[in-house]
Amino acid sequence: MNPKILIIGACGQIGSELTYKLRSLYGDKNVIASDISYTNLDIVNSGIFEIVDAQDYESVKVCVEKYRIDTVYLMAAMLSATGEKYPMQAWDLNMNSLFHVLNLAKAKFIKKVFWPSSIAIFGSTTPKDNTPQYTIVEPSTVYGITKQTGERWCEYYHKKYAVDVRSLRYPGIISWKTLPGGGTTDYAVDIYHKAVTEKKYECFLKEDTELPMMFMDDAIKATVDIMSSDKADIKIRSSYNLSAISFTPKDVAQSIKAFIPDFEITYKPDSRQEIADSWPKSIDDSQARQDWNWKHKFSLEDITKEMLMQLNEKYKES
Ligand code: VAH
């Protein structure tokens, strides 16, 4: 029996690609895409779409009841850089939306929840190399604080009310279908767009800023894998460390130059450098690999090849 899925934040970077993937797996009729506005017309026009305000409990509940939803992917959030500009709006959006979905699950309106956490929960006191699943967690961004707090609530609702909520600490995610959206790791998306359109890029992080990163296809696979695993295999109900590769802006520039020899990068660090410096360089995700057989596929070279090929096509058509 296919699940009846509601994706909240379906117009965003991960939400949009999750929508396409879940429709291909479970059928268009079983996947309802929703967002606060019509910001991604490809998503709005490619299947069932509803306007849902993730901060309004009734708005979510009406959609859940209308389509007899049993599974919710809550992908709406304000990311790290934007969250520093609008701290209280970031807290409200990221936390109110989570409470509404967890409370719908507690009240048995829905059976299963996916909620994304992030390596942003770690701070400058966290061991930076091969950061373990259990370690010091002192985030210094509003976004990281919301993700740390959200993890505590997910684990509480699971233990106290048997809510089947599952979560992944996403690293920086690279994709070509949507433009960068207010994240610190989004330099690793923007650089490819600028490489294709201008053959040059001014990076807002220092050249040696190493961060955990992942191609979108790997992130979507991990999300589908954890949600389709048996309950008994999900041993961590806060959020799983998730990892693929780590690289610096210099590494990306060099991988691009293999395809575009005259590509040039310059560096002009801004306020996002302080955010990036507070995050780990690499992540130990052995628990996810052990509990539900996670493994990544895309290397930096694979990512660069795919990104440049797809963006060349995209900009040729536009
Ligand atoms: C951000 N892309 O940069 C997000 C991500 C690990 C970072 O959560 O805010």
Side-chain angles (χ1 to χ4, degrees):
M1 168 86 155
N2 280 331
K4 286 292 278 188
I5 295 169
L6 171 62
I7 299 168
I8 300 174
C11 290
Q13 181 194 23
I14 307 172
S16 56
E17 302 219 32
L18 205 47
T19 300
Y20 296 125
K21 180 67 180 175
L22 293 171
R23 283 177 181 160
S24 71
L25 287 173
Y26 302 117
D28 291 0
K29 297 258 174 294
N30 293 315
V31 179
I32 313 308
S34 76
D35 213 307
I36 187 77
S37 63
Y38 301 104
T39 47
N40 182 328
L41 292 181
D42 291 340
I43 287 292
V44 172
N45 298 324
S46 62
I48 306 171
F49 182 86
E50 292 281 354
I51 293 291
V52 168
D53 177 352
Q55 294 196 66
D56 176 345
Y57 181 80
E58 280 309 311
S59 173
V60 181
K61 183 167 174 279
V62 161
C63 190
V64 162
E65 290 182 313
K66 178 178 176 183
Y67 293 95
R68 299 181 188 287
I69 299 295
D70 54 47
T71 305
V72 171
Y73 290 73
L74 173 53
M75 307 310 288
M78 193 180 287
L79 299 181
S80 59
T82 312
E84 291 308 293
K85 290 182 193 147
Y86 310 104
M88 292 327 299
Q89 291 91 321
W91 175 263
D92 289 344
L93 170 57
N94 296 5
M95 299 316 299
N96 293 339
S97 58
L98 177 59
F99 279 124
H100 295 338
V101 173
L102 289 176
N103 284 327
L104 281 168
K106 176 187 169 191
K108 309 295 180 200
F109 285 101
I110 54 178
K111 293 194 186 112
K112 214 180 209 180
V113 176
F114 177 78
W115 179 75
S117 181
S118 162
I119 57 125
I121 66 153
F122 300 119
S124 50
T125 52
T126 304
K128 288 210 175 296
D129 295 307
N130 218 21
T131 301
Q133 176 73 42
Y134 299 104
T135 185
I136 301 165
V137 178
E138 294 178 323
S140 53
T141 63
V142 174
Y143 174 70
I145 293 166
T146 68
K147 291 303 182 183
Q148 176 191 25
T149 315
E151 288 190 11
R152 296 290 91 233
W153 280 112
C154 288
E155 189 178 78
Y156 181 88
Y157 268 72
H158 176 71
K159 285 185 174 165
K160 192 100 174 174
Y161 310 119
V163 167
D164 186 2
V165 51
R166 306 177 187 197
S167 179
L168 297 172
R169 290 169 181 167
Y170 287 135
I173 295 179
I174 299 162
S175 63
W176 54 272
K177 290 196 183 104
T178 56
L179 290 173
T184 301
T185 58
D186 285 336
Y187 88 85
V189 176
D190 212 11
I191 191 168
Y192 289 105
H193 286 265
K194 296 293 190 316
V196 168
T197 55
E198 302 174 28
K199 292 194 175 180
K200 64 180 187 324
Y201 179 60
E202 183 179 86
C203 184
F204 56 74
L205 296 181
K206 290 177 192 158
E207 68 172 5
D208 60 350
T209 308
E210 185 179 1
L211 289 169
M213 296 280 189
M214 178 178 284
F215 191 52
M216 177 62 78
D217 293 25
D218 274 336
I220 297 298
K221 179 168 186 329
T223 309
V224 169
D225 285 357
I226 192 172
M227 286 298 275
S228 49
S229 295
D230 293 342
K231 261 187 194 175
D233 293 336
I234 310 300
K235 299 185 173 56
I236 293 178
R237 291 291 182 159
S238 49
S239 188
Y240 275 92
N241 274 8
L242 188 73
S243 175
I245 55 178
S246 292
F247 56 67
T248 66
K250 188 176 177 185
D251 296 332
V252 188
Q254 280 169 341
S255 79
I256 290 171
K257 281 178 185 167
F259 297 89
I260 308 174
D262 50 348
F263 171 70
E264 284 176 12
I265 186 167
T266 52
Y267 299 94
K268 193 178 176 191
D270 66 16
S271 60
R272 288 166 284 191
Q273 185 64 49
E274 188 183 350
I275 296 174
D277 288 343
S278 73
W279 290 348
K281 291 173 183 234
S282 60
I283 299 286
D284 171 4
D285 63 355
S286 50
Q287 187 96 41
R289 291 172 191 260
Q290 179 187 309
D291 290 359
W292 41 275
N293 200 26
W294 157 244
K295 49 184 165 298
H296 76 279
K297 197 176 126 204
F298 286 79
S299 67
L300 175 56
E301 190 190 356
D302 297 333
I303 294 171
T304 298
K305 203 166 162 187
E306 182 71 10
M307 287 293 283
L308 293 180
M309 183 187 69
Q310 295 289 356
L311 289 173
N312 269 313
E313 281 303 306
K314 183 172 175 166
Y315 285 108
K316 224 188 288 175
E317 285 158 16
S318 58

